Amino acid sequence: MIGKISTPRGEHVQPLLYYLFGPGRREEHTDPHIVAGWRHPADLEPPLRTDGKRDVTKLTSLLLQPQAALGNRAYVRPVWHCSMRAAPDDRMLSDDEWAQIAHEVMDRTGLSPYGQEDEAVRWVAVRHGDDHIHIVAMLARQDGGKPSLSWERYKVRAACMAAEQRYGLRSTAPADRTAARRPTRAENEKAARRGLDEAPRITLRRQVTTAAAGAGSEQEFFARLGQAGLLVHQRFSVKDPGQVSGYSVALGGDTTKDGGPVWYGGGKLAPDLSWPKLRQRWALDRATPGRPYLTPEERNAVWDHATRIAADAAAQIRNFARTDPAAADAAWATSDTLHVAAAVLGSRILRQAADAYDRAARPPYGRIPPASLAGNHLRQAARLLSAFAHLTGDRSMAPIMLITRLAALAEAVAARSGQPLGKVALTLVEASEPRPNDPKEKGSHEDLDVVRRLSRLLMQIKGGIK
């Protein structure tokens, strides 16, 4: 279940009520009615007018009374609007179940705690569809106070997870603040004007992630960023001028109005790309031995080695308990391996698969798990692939076998973390559709076949994963 608080808040509640009880923009609203509120729904339901529409005048007046009593102390934008939506494949909830969910949201946010219905804010929950409701509240308490809105989004997220547990709905991830930042509207529009496929923030995050996965030290990390064509700015400690304390990256050609590069700090790209988190990657217990040169036979064996490591890690992850730190480390290392393999093979499809699985592999709440044998083996495989980013000899089937093993590994990671795979599967299905004459697609037809098989597999295993 997903709860979305509208931003910015509204100034007037009556237009919102007319919309909720109306037919909708495309006649999609069916049987709009109140399922919960600060009073019994039967006492708040707007009556029908002679023209068949709802008269929300009385309801509006009741909602506005505490707001008027606050006078100049009232919020300028007092209308709090939160939509609660179930997943498309969830069962249809009854009105009573939606009412319980709405009361849980109001209690957890502190807007209307249980037992304070006559002192807290006035609110209603409107249902005009099978899979969602809208909660509308006026931010003025009936006892003359103003409600606090601290941590409201995290509290709504907690209410969503509680509803999933209670009613057996599709499980979603907690709000642990580890998700990568999305491009802003301005960034997306700027990228569109320049004819880019994606915003620079996304490109930089992917390239920095790949560089970090393939590096074994700070020096190697910055070297790989330079090899990728990124602009890099290092920040040094004031107390120890020789120690790096942070970094920023930029894409060539992405400039401000003054002509300078648009810099992104690692932590602004993704929480696990901040400099302190990156340095933990290169701790001694995570270091993997290597040497600067491999023979042609050893280069050919790199693919076999990476394939074997992926298969072994998938088996170990499935055997680990969900709370086992070793499983968390192996899952985290899996994301690195997927990103590096996508970069090595030059496949946009595998890159999309790696992006789709990134959330399932990220450590909860940004906590770096202790190193494990499976995780270190995966990191070693990723660095070997990154160091020798080209195919050698007649080994056309080796990359395909690696892709297959990585698919099984990613499936094991998603299953262990409890992340739903339906959306990931649909992403892979869409990504695997053939695009004739697409110059941007460097993946082979075998890549497409493997991803299609993976997509069909993922669509079939939803029953065993919540």
Side-chain angles (χ1 to χ4, degrees):
M1 178 167 289
I2 299 297
K4 181 181 179 182
I5 301 176
S6 298
T7 304
R9 296 195 302 268
E11 294 185 38
H12 307 286
V13 70
Q14 190 169 29
L16 177 58
L17 293 176
Y18 273 124
Y19 167 74
L20 296 179
F21 285 97
R25 294 185 177 92
R26 295 179 297 276
E27 302 292 332
E28 72 274 16
H29 295 176
T30 58
D31 186 26
H33 59 282
I34 295 177
V35 296
W38 86 97
R39 293 181 182 174
H40 193 279
D43 299 333
L44 301 173
E45 192 70 35
L48 283 173
R49 301 187 311 201
T50 56
D51 58 2
K53 297 181 180 180
R54 297 296 186 100
D55 184 0
V56 300
T57 304
K58 180 179 178 181
L59 178 59
T60 301
S61 176
L62 290 174
L63 288 171
L64 289 176
Q65 285 177 0
Q67 173 75 10
L70 282 179
N72 294 332
R73 297 187 298 113
Y75 285 108
V76 176
R77 292 182 173 272
V79 182
W80 190 85
H81 177 206
C82 177
S83 59
M84 305 289 294
R85 185 177 298 273
D89 54 351
D90 283 335
R91 66 177 179 85
M92 185 184 301
L93 299 175
S94 66
D95 282 353
D96 289 340
E97 289 172 329
W98 277 119
Q100 181 61 38
I101 292 172
H103 280 286
E104 186 75 10
V105 169
M106 298 304 291
D107 176 69
R108 287 179 178 265
T109 56
L111 294 178
S112 182
Y114 290 124
Q116 297 185 23
E117 290 78 8
D118 294 333
E119 294 83 24
V121 305
R122 293 185 175 183
W123 63 279
V124 292
V126 180
R127 181 180 187 181
H128 55 207
D130 294 336
D131 62 348
H132 69 283
I133 60 171
H134 294 263
I135 304 175
V136 180
M138 295 299 297
L139 298 181
R141 290 178 57 90
Q142 299 173 77
D143 58 8
K146 293 173 63 175
S148 171
L149 295 174
S150 60
W151 307 100
E152 54 177 336
R153 284 174 171 76
Y154 298 100
K155 295 173 181 177
V156 169
R157 181 88 281 275
C160 290
M161 297 179 67
E164 294 164 358
Q165 293 281 337
R166 182 180 297 114
Y167 302 114
L169 307 179
R170 177 192 286 185
S171 178
T172 53
D176 57 5
R177 289 189 282 182
T178 62
R181 295 195 180 188
R182 295 182 179 181
T184 64
R185 178 179 177 180
E187 291 173 355
N188 286 327
E189 292 178 349
K190 181 180 178 181
R193 290 195 302 268
R194 295 181 56 202
L196 301 177
D197 293 333
E198 59 188 12
R201 181 189 296 272
I202 298 178
T203 303
L204 288 169
R205 180 169 64 244
R206 184 181 302 112
Q207 293 186 352
V208 172
T209 298
T210 303
S217 64
E218 300 178 12
Q219 296 77 13
E220 189 177 356
F221 170 67
F222 287 119
R224 291 188 181 280
L225 291 180
Q227 292 170 3
L230 304 186
L231 304 178
V232 183
H233 172 69
Q234 300 181 38
R235 296 190 302 275
F236 293 92
S237 171
V238 176
K239 294 183 179 179
D240 186 0
Q243 180 180 0
V244 178
S245 61
Y247 74 101
S248 300
V249 291
L251 281 181
D254 183 25
T255 59
T256 64
K257 62 181 180 180
D258 298 328
V262 179
W263 295 100
Y264 295 86
K268 301 297 183 181
L269 298 176
D272 58 348
L273 295 180
S274 66
W275 186 243
K277 293 294 179 63
L278 285 180
R279 292 190 66 183
Q280 293 186 48
R281 290 174 177 261
W282 305 310
L284 292 178
D285 57 355
R286 298 182 188 276
T288 54
R291 60 179 191 264
Y293 174 77
L294 290 181
T295 66
E297 291 77 14
E298 289 173 325
R299 288 199 298 270
N300 286 335
V302 165
W303 294 104
D304 288 335
H305 174 73
T307 302
R308 185 171 58 257
I309 289 298
D312 292 343
Q316 292 185 51
I317 289 175
R318 291 185 186 279
N319 292 331
F320 285 142
R322 180 166 295 186
T323 57
D324 194 324
D329 182 58
W332 182 37
T334 297
S335 179
D336 289 350
T337 310
L338 287 169
H339 279 288
V340 170
V344 169
L345 296 175
S347 171
R348 177 176 56 84
I349 295 175
L350 295 182
R351 185 189 72 193
Q352 291 176 338
D355 291 342
Y357 280 108
D358 182 67
R359 180 63 185 92
R362 192 162 58 244
Y365 298 95
R367 302 184 183 117
I368 302 299
S372 67
L373 183 63
N376 282 340
H377 283 172
L378 284 168
R379 278 181 277 270
Q380 183 184 43
R383 288 163 188 168
L384 284 172
L385 289 174
S386 181
F388 299 93
H390 62 278
L391 302 179
T392 59
D394 185 14
R395 303 286 301 198
S396 58
M397 288 304 296
I400 304 307
M401 287 300 297
L402 173 60
I403 296 169
T404 305
R405 296 303 184 188
L406 289 176
L409 174 58
E411 174 194 331
V413 170
R416 184 208 67 84
S417 65
Q419 298 300 316
L421 294 181
K423 183 176 180 181
V424 174
L426 292 176
T427 301
L428 293 175
V429 169
E430 180 181 357
S432 65
E433 291 300 323
R435 294 174 175 81
N437 303 322
D438 186 354
K440 298 175 183 177
E441 181 53 67
K442 298 181 182 179
S444 65
H445 293 291
E446 289 83 356
D447 290 347
L448 295 174
D449 290 338
V450 170
V451 175
R452 290 193 189 103
R453 289 199 297 271
L454 170 61
S455 303
R456 289 193 291 268
L457 171 64
L458 294 177
M459 294 296 288
Q460 294 171 0
I461 64 176
K462 290 189 298 181
I465 299 174
K466 276 294 181 180

